[in-house]
Amino acid sequence: MPIIDVHGHWGPWPYFRSSGLLGETNIDLMDRYGIDVQIVSGAEAVTYDAVAGNAALARVLAAQPRLYGYAVVNPNRIEASAADLRHHLAGGRFVGAKIHTHYPGRAIGSREMREAFALLNDLEVPLLLHTWDPDVARLPALLADFPRLRVIVGHAGGDAWREAAHAAAECDRLYLEHCRTAADAERITYAREAGVGVERLLFGTDATLVDPSVSLGVVRDAGLRGAELERVLWGNAAELFGLGELGGGAGR
């Protein structure tokens, strides 16, 4: 069964000396765990320079067909990010946008985040949004004003995974992706019981920050089988990002 990881990173992290230094680090981990395709954001772009980090990632994507990219949008510099996002989407190797809430210091309910959402709604590009607190409950009301925007709730709210589950149950354009290091059990089961269909659950790892075995364990804990497991591990991502031709492991 193919696997598409919708939450990866490429490049060195400023707080580690030796994690993710080479593109091969991603590929090594993908090979180890049978991951065919990974959608990544540049670590440099996420943490301190979106434009420079996106440019560095573009050079990597041109040489590595198993990786696709998120162009990081900095809500504090929306005009520069808008031009940068349009440039990278036109190249075909970037298939979505990534916004981190903590590094730029903008909460989901902020004016700056609203402007970023408006941009992504106009471009109709999927957004991977870092979420880690009860602020995630604001998303259904916010998305009501942006009817073409689809949001992957990165980390599924983190510590606020229950609030994220109920938000996703309220809005069918929210997708839950559960990667994180804390091993709270039955997060996926809780979301499904709250009303989130299997078609809006995605597999992500947070590699190279976190070993993919953690997220694979979360999926196994959910007891998914057959067609449901296929949807979560690759089918939903292939549909969301238009990567259907990669099903069956052709991307490896």
Side-chain angles (χ1 to χ4, degrees):
M1 182 183 301
I3 300 178
I4 299 177
D5 174 4
V6 304
H7 191 156
H9 301 283
W10 177 86
W13 293 96
Y15 28 79
F16 296 133
R17 287 185 178 275
S18 60
S19 175
L21 288 174
L22 301 172
E24 287 75 12
T25 302
N26 294 76
I27 304 304
D28 288 347
L29 287 170
M30 292 165 69
D31 286 343
R32 185 182 305 170
Y33 293 106
I35 297 170
D36 298 85
V37 172
Q38 191 175 61
I39 308 174
V40 300
S41 55
E44 177 187 7
V46 170
T47 52
Y48 63 93
D49 190 330
V51 173
N54 290 338
L57 178 59
R59 293 189 287 273
V60 174
L61 299 181
Q64 181 43 261
R66 290 173 63 190
L67 299 180
Y68 284 82
Y70 292 107
V72 174
V73 170
N74 185 340
N76 295 317
R77 298 181 174 87
I78 195 62
E79 290 187 7
S81 281
D84 191 53
L85 176 60
R86 290 189 175 94
H87 166 73
H88 287 300
L89 290 175
R93 299 292 299 157
F94 284 81
V95 294
K98 167 72 180 281
I99 297 180
H100 205 287
T101 48
H102 291 176
Y103 290 115
R106 297 301 178 189
I108 289 172
S110 66
R111 174 181 58 81
E112 291 81 2
M113 194 68 76
R114 188 176 184 82
E115 291 176 353
F117 277 29
L119 167 66
L120 300 172
N121 182 68
D122 289 344
L123 295 176
E124 299 189 46
V125 59
L127 165 66
L128 171 60
L129 179 68
H130 174 92
T131 62
W132 206 269
D133 54 47
D135 203 28
V136 70
R138 293 175 175 266
L139 281 171
L142 185 56
L143 261 64
D145 293 334
F146 304 111
R148 296 186 297 277
L149 180 57
R150 294 166 295 172
V151 176
I152 301 170
V153 183
H155 311 291
D159 295 338
W161 52 270
R162 293 177 182 83
E163 289 87 341
H166 291 289
E170 188 177 340
C171 176
D172 64 5
R173 287 178 286 118
L174 292 175
Y175 297 75
L176 296 181
E177 178 277 306
H178 279 85
C179 73
R180 63 195 292 244
T181 53
D184 296 336
E186 300 183 345
R187 283 172 279 165
I188 292 178
T189 300
Y190 183 92
R192 297 192 69 185
E193 290 176 351
V196 182
V198 71
E199 70 277 3
R200 287 191 290 115
L201 300 174
L202 297 168
F203 175 73
T205 65
D206 212 9
T208 56
L209 277 174
V210 181
D211 191 282
S213 62
V214 179
S215 288
L216 287 168
V218 170
V219 171
R220 186 171 66 179
D221 179 61
L224 298 165
R225 297 288 186 275
E228 289 187 340
L229 184 61
E230 288 192 13
R231 269 198 163 275
V232 174
L233 288 183
W234 75 274
N236 293 337
E239 182 177 306
L240 180 61
F241 292 101
L243 302 177
E245 70 276 11
L246 298 177
R252 193 183 303 181

